[in-house]
Amino acid sequence: MAWLSKLWNTFRMTRLQSELDEELRHHLELRTRDLQKSGMPGTAARTEAASRFGNFTFERERTREMDIATSLETIGKDLRYALRQLVRNPVFAAVAVLSLALGIGANTALFSIFNAVLLRSLPVRNPDELVILTNPDASGAGIGSSSGERALLTYAEYEQLRDRSATMAGLCASDSSLNHWTLRIAGGSQEEATGRLVSESYFSVLGVEPFIGRVFTQADVASVGSDPYAVISYDYWQRRFGGKANVLGMPIRLYSAALTVIGVAAPGFHGETVGENPDIWAPMMMEPLVKPGRDWIHEDLSKSIDKVMWLHVFGRLKPGMTVMKAQAEMTILFKNILEEGYPRTLSADDRKELLDQRIKIRSARTGAFGKRNEFSQQLLVLLVVAGLVLLIACANVANLLLARATARYKEVGIRLSLGAARGRLLRQFITESLLLAGLGGVTGIVLALVAARELLLLLSETEQPLQLSTAFDWRVLLFTFSMTLLTGILFGLAPAFRNTRVDVSQSLKESGRSVTDTGTRMTVAKCLVAAQVALSLLLVAGAGLFLRTLWNLESVAVGYAKENLLAIRVDAVTAGYKDAQRPTLYNEVADRLRALPGVRSVAYSENGLFGGTESADPVDVEGYIHKNKDNMNARFDQIGPGYFSAIGVPLLLGREINVRDTAGALRVCVINEAFAKRFFAGRNPIGKHVVDTYGGSRLTMEVVGVAKDVKDHRLRGDVPPRFYVPVAQGDGGIAPNVYFEVRTTGDANRALNSLRRSILQVNANLQILMSRTVDSLIDSQNRLPRLIAQLCSIFGAIALVLAATGLYGVLSYSIARRTNEIGIRMALGADKANVIGMVLRETGIMIFLGMTAGVGATFGLTRLIANRLYGLSAMDPLTIGAALGILGVVALAASYIPALRAARVSPVAALRHE
Amino acid sequence: MGKHPNDRLQGTLDLLILKSLASRGSMHGYGITVHIQSIAGDALRVEEGSLYPALHRMAQEGWIRAKWGSSENNRRARFYSITPGGLKQLAAEEKRWSELTAAVTRVLQFT
């Protein structure tokens, strides 16, 4: 480890220098003392000593040079020697480097994503001063009331916090969801771009400068629509406008707003949310124009308990302020805002419940990121798996080194007998391991560069690809470097120590006939193989658990045919439809779609099937006496007439919602089985009443039907109690947008264009928010489980191959060493079966020990992934049994070839074997 | 690394140091100086400081081993001793030296 000692030397140079000074001064002192003893006076003796010594500084420097130069020289020598060794054994080198590269590459690729998501700072001024007042994992818009820790804030809340805070140098807000805007640039045709509404203080608080032009400032805030500006991202500027300066002043038509581009943001700045790169930022004051029909700036706080919670709020701490001080201030400010924000007419209980809300302040150095927790947990599972593969690879390389050591046993003996220091040899062996690790690391980085990009694609939603820069910054390189170093030491140290512990006289006497060294060396090798078997079992069992989870998820019966079913989400509010007009519009669209050729049936509903939106309210149920702390919440959906028959959900009792359930008719609802079981246990619910009690309102509905439970939002877990109301009657207003569920006769995707055209024929201003097959929506819920299952299977397969190689190598070697022993046995009457049995017994012990340890580890570790599994337990005996079986077969196959070879040994040849 | 003019004495100095350490065991730098001078007298006088680069180089070569200990005046001092590698080196140097002197002598005796 010559270069390490060099590194160490550089670190302790000052210490070395003072040691050297001490040594040289000691010489001068002794000389002066001796001269004085011989009668020379003090000063003269010192002068004479100095003159005899020569130039002190010069000698000191020369001596230092010797220390450094020679160690540099030995590094060179060690490296050259190590390289020669590798070149001499190209197969060994290739196998070792490749298996390490695989392990290191997988880890580096995963870590670079981990780094981009969780560790990297936002490219803004002093990111450590940034805090977030909302939950960085949250996104979307919640309309209604909330309790406990608040995920997102309303505009009014943001404004009041901004104006009252004394701990913050500034606050800014941003729309927590990334918008997909349809726009016209400079009067051109419609095109799509991603955009985000941000408060006018956004760029100044984050400390992001414009590349050209200017950004919004607080001075632009006057009234709604007063600042029709847009700032675009550097990437969008390059991509869409070819980086030309004439982009400034470019008009952009965005729904009801006519924006003008005033600036381009600094390159590398992609906003405050990791993984989402908006093309355009528009000022908050433009919100009512950009989202027509949704004025989320002017909601009246004092009159309603409903809030539109849609903003992330960031703050920059004043110098010297801490998160704790800011938290103390914000807690009080927010409490006051809440007190003023809810009507005093509410019952004491309701008011108390509504006021029970808090904001939590966190550091925002790394920005916001929806689903960060989920994402990082998945990544962690994969990192652990990749780490295990690397461990197996290490064990393999260690075994290869051990086996090779025997070949070099004599060489080491000779060199030791020629006077080589053991330390020097040790250094050489470790240099060799580090060189191997280094080559593996470099190859691994190359692999990782490709793999990281592919992985990111796999990890991204198809709808909204994660835009992460997985560029290898210092953190990733440091990670890879330390991992390489660690693996080099891990697999190199034990063989190095074993290899240099050579009995010189023994090694020289040995002729190859003796079996003296097999004892400990073979024990170490066998332990390594057993460890590989154990780790492989863990990986194969893990892969099996994830695969079966995926299969279970994919074969979940949703309760209706999900084939040839499209979901098209249409927004009515943007096109200007008021509450009362919407049911008619939805029916008109549905009728038109139904009339198209190839369309079998059409239904519509507010929350749709697996669409990602959901509603829930507290209810009172006739005849149900609720106890304290009883959870009275039920999910609900607004549906169009004929919903259940169109989708194919059977009604168990009563009737479904039909065209006669209009605004003026009796308020009705259909409940699902889970609702009936939960609240009507055993009673007939038809004709009974359900009351929606949200916010003290009492909306009474008569139950007219019970529908079979279906999976419509989540594949996992039980179906929750749900009630369905007609869109025409509404609940908390008429659905502002709905999903049209269209069942086609042929391929659903092919019908898509004509369906979209028909919708726009009703009104060209209707906004189609999304159109996908229900199948693909369900499928995207399985995306992460599928990815995990696939990657774990790949890693498991690699682990199996590595373990098989290890087993094969160790057995072949041990048989080669025992050729004459086997020869003697055969000469004494052992037949082929005996020999094969003997070899397999030897293997059996290794495998058995490995498997036992592996089963223990599997039971211990799979518990940690229990919450990612579906439809089976973490200790599923079938999966673990199958893993044992696979491993057993692979191990037998790997050991059968060496065993057969042993059985073919001819006794005569074996006895002559040298 | 540029060669110092003293380096032409290097072989000789190495030989003297190795021989001293082989015959006297562990010694510090000053001890080696005194030992060489007490036997050779003033004839072999070199600048005492030039001993140290040689000692450190030989330690890096693995011919001698350095270890901190306490000296006769109760101070911390670095003590050097010869290694098996050093003994081999000494044998080689001695052989080279006697060949060299024998050759020089032959030239001088040639009349």
Side-chain angles (χ1 to χ4, degrees):
Chain A
M1 231 177 332
W3 67 271
L4 248 193
S5 82
K6 157 92 173 81
L7 199 70
W8 177 234
N9 273 355
T10 328
F11 279 131
R12 42 167 216 168
M13 214 31 114
T14 43
R15 210 188 109 213
L16 277 184
Q17 196 151 354
S18 73
E19 281 188 344
L20 181 54
D21 274 355
E22 192 180 345
E23 184 178 17
L24 300 187
R25 270 183 219 296
H26 178 251
H27 182 111
L28 284 173
E29 264 169 43
L30 288 180
R31 173 56 79 197
T32 312
R33 189 199 61 182
D34 284 356
L35 286 169
Q36 277 174 333
K37 266 192 201 155
S38 67
M40 207 177 273
T43 11
R46 266 195 290 282
T47 320
E48 174 64 13
S51 103
R52 284 198 194 188
F53 191 85
N55 185 334
F56 183 87
T57 321
F58 177 73
E59 296 299 352
R60 188 183 66 189
E61 289 313 307
R62 263 190 72 208
T63 314
R64 268 193 59 200
E65 221 172 69
M66 288 300 165
D67 285 351
I68 300 166
T70 29
S71 59
L72 272 174
E73 219 169 275
T74 43
I75 295 171
K77 267 189 207 152
D78 283 356
L79 268 179
R80 269 197 304 278
Y81 182 79
L83 260 178
R84 266 207 308 276
Q85 289 296 327
L86 293 188
V87 171
R88 205 178 295 163
N89 301 280
V91 177
F92 160 79
V95 170
V97 168
L98 256 179
S99 46
L100 288 173
L102 231 57
I104 293 177
N107 278 285
T108 303
L110 288 168
F111 183 78
S112 72
I113 295 176
F114 196 77
N115 175 46
V117 171
L118 292 153
L119 303 176
R120 197 182 295 153
S121 300
L122 286 178
V124 301
R125 170 165 44 86
N126 300 342
D128 288 318
E129 291 174 0
L130 272 191
V131 293
I132 182 166
L133 280 63
T134 41
N135 181 354
D137 291 345
S139 69
I143 302 176
S145 62
S146 160
S147 64
E149 190 195 317
R150 182 69 83 78
L152 297 168
L153 290 175
T154 71
Y155 186 74
E157 287 162 352
Y158 154 68
E159 258 188 330
Q160 294 175 63
L161 290 173
R162 179 192 69 197
D163 296 343
R164 297 178 196 176
S165 168
T167 57
M168 304 281 181
L171 263 79
C172 66
S174 66
D175 187 348
S176 63
S177 41
L178 184 71
N179 297 287
H180 294 264
W181 284 335
T182 310
L183 39 83
R184 291 175 194 274
I185 293 171
S189 56
Q190 279 198 354
E191 56 189 285
E192 304 253 317
T194 53
R196 195 186 290 284
L197 286 158
V198 296
S199 69
E200 284 74 0
S201 57
Y202 182 75
F203 291 101
S204 61
V205 169
L206 291 184
V208 174
E209 300 295 324
F211 186 70
I212 55 165
R214 69 173 187 99
V215 291
F216 326 124
T217 64
Q218 199 58 38
D220 291 321
V221 190
S223 57
V224 163
S226 66
D227 48 1
Y229 307 132
V231 171
I232 63 173
S233 80
Y234 183 88
D235 293 353
Y236 186 55
W237 180 46
Q238 294 294 331
R239 194 173 69 235
R240 175 62 182 76
F241 301 101
K244 292 199 190 98
N246 67 3
V247 71
L248 298 181
M250 190 77 75
I252 296 179
R253 183 82 204 175
L254 184 61
Y255 306 108
S256 307
L259 306 176
T260 305
V261 177
I262 57 166
V264 174
F269 178 72
H270 298 297
E272 75 299 329
T273 303
V274 178
E276 294 178 352
N277 300 357
D279 299 325
I280 301 170
W281 289 280
M284 198 59 84
M285 280 296 124
M286 300 303 293
E287 190 274 337
L289 295 161
V290 172
K291 297 186 176 180
R294 292 187 173 83
D295 186 350
W296 290 348
I297 303 276
H298 293 101
E299 20 120 40
D300 188 333
L301 278 178
S302 55
K303 293 228 177 81
S304 166
I305 64 161
D306 281 344
K307 307 282 178 229
V308 186
M309 296 163 286
W310 62 298
L311 294 175
H312 272 311
V313 175
F314 291 83
R316 184 174 287 282
L317 293 173
K318 279 184 181 160
M321 280 300 163
T322 59
V323 169
M324 220 152 60
K325 283 184 194 158
Q327 176 72 63
E329 183 199 46
M330 287 298 163
T331 304
I332 295 169
L333 288 182
F334 193 61
K335 197 167 162 13
N336 289 336
I337 292 171
L338 291 173
E339 296 268 357
E340 296 159 27
Y342 289 94
R344 310 239 162 226
T345 50
L346 286 169
S347 76
D349 276 356
D350 282 348
R351 206 174 142 78
K352 193 176 156 224
E353 210 183 309
L354 286 167
L355 292 191
D356 178 31
Q357 296 184 62
R358 295 170 296 279
I359 45 179
K360 186 169 162 32
I361 301 198
R362 302 170 171 90
S363 160
R365 184 181 64 79
T366 55
F369 176 52
K371 303 202 179 92
R372 190 186 309 238
N373 280 336
E374 167 73 8
F375 195 81
S376 56
Q377 273 177 31
Q378 307 273 20
L379 271 180
L380 264 180
V381 170
L382 291 177
L383 263 176
V384 168
V385 168
L388 290 178
V389 170
L390 184 57
L391 270 183
I392 296 177
C394 275
N396 241 9
V397 177
N399 248 342
L400 285 169
L401 283 173
L402 272 176
R404 236 182 31 149
T406 323
R408 286 166 69 179
Y409 190 67
K410 220 177 247 182
E411 174 208 326
V412 171
I414 290 169
R415 293 183 60 189
L416 279 176
S417 72
L418 285 180
R422 182 159 175 243
R424 187 79 180 67
L425 280 178
L426 208 60
R427 206 158 66 171
Q428 223 165 56
F429 276 113
I430 292 178
T431 305
E432 209 178 314
S433 316
L434 285 178
L435 181 71
L436 269 180
L439 288 173
V442 171
T443 323
I445 285 188
V446 176
L447 280 181
L449 276 171
V450 184
R453 217 166 309 139
E454 296 297 317
L455 261 178
L456 205 57
L457 278 180
L458 286 173
L459 282 166
S460 300
E461 299 276 351
T462 37
E463 283 290 275
Q464 203 164 301
L466 260 185
Q467 292 172 305
L468 287 176
S469 152
T470 50
F472 289 1
D473 58 8
W474 63 270
R475 268 200 205 88
V476 177
L477 292 178
L478 187 72
F479 173 83
T480 313
F481 178 75
S482 0
M483 202 169 46
T484 306
L485 197 64
L486 203 72
T487 51
I489 292 171
L490 202 62
F491 68 71
L493 215 53
F497 271 104
R498 269 225 49 76
N499 293 355
T500 50
R501 204 179 305 134
V502 167
D503 180 344
V504 174
S505 56
Q506 184 65 51
S507 82
L508 294 179
K509 264 188 277 167
E510 193 177 318
S511 64
R513 191 170 286 229
S514 126
V515 282
T516 40
D517 80 317
T518 50
T520 43
R521 202 198 75 78
M522 286 315 286
T523 316
V524 175
K526 282 177 184 171
C527 284
L528 283 171
V529 168
Q532 283 184 311
V533 169
L535 290 174
S536 311
L537 180 71
L538 185 59
L539 286 179
V540 173
L545 290 173
F546 284 125
L547 272 177
R548 291 200 53 210
T549 294
L550 181 64
W551 287 332
N552 287 344
L553 283 172
E554 283 184 337
S555 54
V556 163
V558 287
Y560 46 87
K562 53 188 180 180
E563 291 75 29
N564 301 330
L565 190 57
L566 271 170
I568 306 173
R569 192 176 189 204
V570 177
D571 188 57
V573 173
T574 345
Y577 289 87
K578 300 276 171 276
D579 263 37
Q581 302 168 307
R582 293 205 281 267
T584 327
L585 168 76
Y586 298 148
N587 283 333
E588 193 188 337
V589 172
D591 287 342
R592 244 179 212 274
L593 296 181
R594 231 170 258 132
L596 286 174
V599 172
R600 269 169 55 191
S601 57
V602 177
Y604 63 87
S605 60
E606 184 179 17
N607 291 325
L609 303 169
F610 295 91
T613 61
E614 179 70 298
S615 315
D617 271 351
V619 290
D620 267 352
V621 178
E622 187 181 348
Y624 180 84
I625 301 141
H626 76 94
K627 299 133 229 148
N628 247 357
K629 306 258 174 196
D630 209 357
N631 180 8
M632 293 301 289
N633 282 314
R635 320 277 169 119
F636 72 94
D637 202 354
Q638 299 189 23
I639 58 173
Y643 174 81
F644 293 104
S645 51
I647 290 175
V649 180
L651 266 279
L652 302 175
L653 283 174
R655 64 163 177 97
E656 67 174 313
I657 305 289
N658 60 36
V659 283
R660 285 181 301 280
D661 296 313
T662 55
L666 177 73
R667 277 191 176 276
V668 295
C669 70
V670 170
I671 59 175
N672 70 355
E673 248 178 301
F675 192 105
K677 273 196 199 116
R678 166 87 176 78
F679 295 108
F680 290 104
R683 298 179 292 136
N684 182 359
I686 304 295
K688 300 282 187 313
H689 292 89
V690 171
V691 186
D692 187 326
T693 61
Y694 173 67
S697 68
R698 292 190 69 81
L699 196 71
T700 307
M701 298 158 285
E702 188 179 308
V703 178
V704 293
V706 178
K708 201 167 162 22
D709 276 348
V710 292
K711 303 252 181 189
D712 46 13
H713 282 76
R714 280 164 49 83
L715 288 174
R716 295 175 189 234
D718 297 329
V719 175
R722 184 184 301 278
F723 62 95
Y724 301 85
V725 301
V727 169
Q729 297 181 342
D731 183 350
I734 307 292
N737 41 50
V738 294
Y739 293 89
F740 287 94
E741 290 95 4
V742 182
R743 193 176 290 287
T744 57
T745 44
D747 181 8
N749 275 316
R750 247 186 300 161
L752 203 56
N753 276 334
S754 61
L755 290 169
R756 290 179 72 113
R757 256 198 315 277
S758 287
I759 294 170
L760 294 177
Q761 271 164 18
V762 175
N763 182 340
N765 288 328
L766 284 174
Q767 213 185 328
I768 297 175
L769 297 172
M770 181 210 89
S771 55
R772 282 175 70 181
T773 62
V774 171
D775 222 7
S776 79
L777 285 171
I778 294 175
D779 202 54
S780 62
Q781 285 211 344
N782 291 335
R783 208 173 30 80
L784 277 178
R786 178 171 309 118
L787 176 71
I788 299 256
Q790 282 169 346
L791 288 178
C792 283
S793 307
I794 294 172
F795 285 140
I798 294 173
L800 271 181
V801 171
L802 288 176
T805 326
L807 189 60
Y808 174 83
V810 167
L811 269 186
S812 306
Y813 176 73
S814 110
I815 285 162
R817 296 287 300 173
R818 290 165 63 184
T819 305
N820 42 11
E821 178 205 324
I822 294 168
I824 293 169
R825 280 172 190 267
M826 291 181 86
L828 290 178
D831 58 11
K832 283 190 181 186
N834 288 138
V835 173
I836 293 179
M838 182 187 82
V839 174
L840 291 187
R841 232 182 346 268
E842 194 182 320
T843 327
I845 295 170
M846 267 190 276
I847 296 173
F848 177 76
L849 287 177
M851 281 182 168
T852 314
V855 169
T858 307
F859 280 156
L861 282 172
T862 49
R863 253 185 303 152
L864 302 176
I865 53 161
N867 63 338
R868 333 216 127 267
L869 302 179
Y870 178 76
L872 73 169
S873 102
M875 300 186 188
D876 182 53
L878 193 68
T879 310
I880 293 175
L884 283 171
I886 293 174
L887 203 63
V889 169
V890 169
L892 260 183
S895 46
Y896 196 68
I897 303 166
L900 217 57
R901 200 182 301 143
R904 288 215 199 90
V905 164
S906 129
V908 183
L911 291 174
R912 280 210 205 101
H913 175 81
E914 287 285 302
Chain B
M1 182 179 55
K3 289 248 173 201
H4 186 264
N6 268 6
D7 284 353
R8 81 185 113 87
L9 277 173
Q10 186 178 300
T12 325
L13 194 53
D14 288 3
L15 177 58
L16 294 177
I17 292 170
L18 288 173
K19 187 71 194 171
S20 308
L21 290 175
S23 55
R24 296 291 302 271
S26 175
M27 275 192 286
H28 53 61
Y30 182 67
I32 297 170
T33 321
V34 173
H35 175 77
I36 295 174
Q37 276 169 7
S38 70
I39 295 168
D42 281 348
L44 264 179
R45 196 153 158 181
V46 287
E47 281 185 341
E48 292 170 13
S50 62
L51 186 69
Y52 289 92
L55 281 171
H56 280 246
R57 178 175 39 74
M58 289 160 72
Q60 290 281 352
E61 298 275 6
W63 296 339
I64 59 177
R65 194 180 296 124
K67 213 171 164 188
W68 285 94
S70 137
S71 76
E72 58 270 30
N73 60 345
N74 267 333
R75 287 274 310 276
R76 227 163 68 93
R78 220 197 294 257
F79 284 83
Y80 296 91
S81 55
I82 195 159
T83 63
L87 284 172
K88 281 200 62 74
Q89 180 67 18
L90 174 60
E93 296 257 346
E94 269 182 316
K95 187 161 168 272
R96 195 175 63 88
W97 179 255
S98 47
E99 280 167 7
L100 180 71
T101 45
V104 172
T105 312
R106 277 200 302 279
V107 172
L108 292 180
Q109 282 170 349
F110 187 82
T111 44

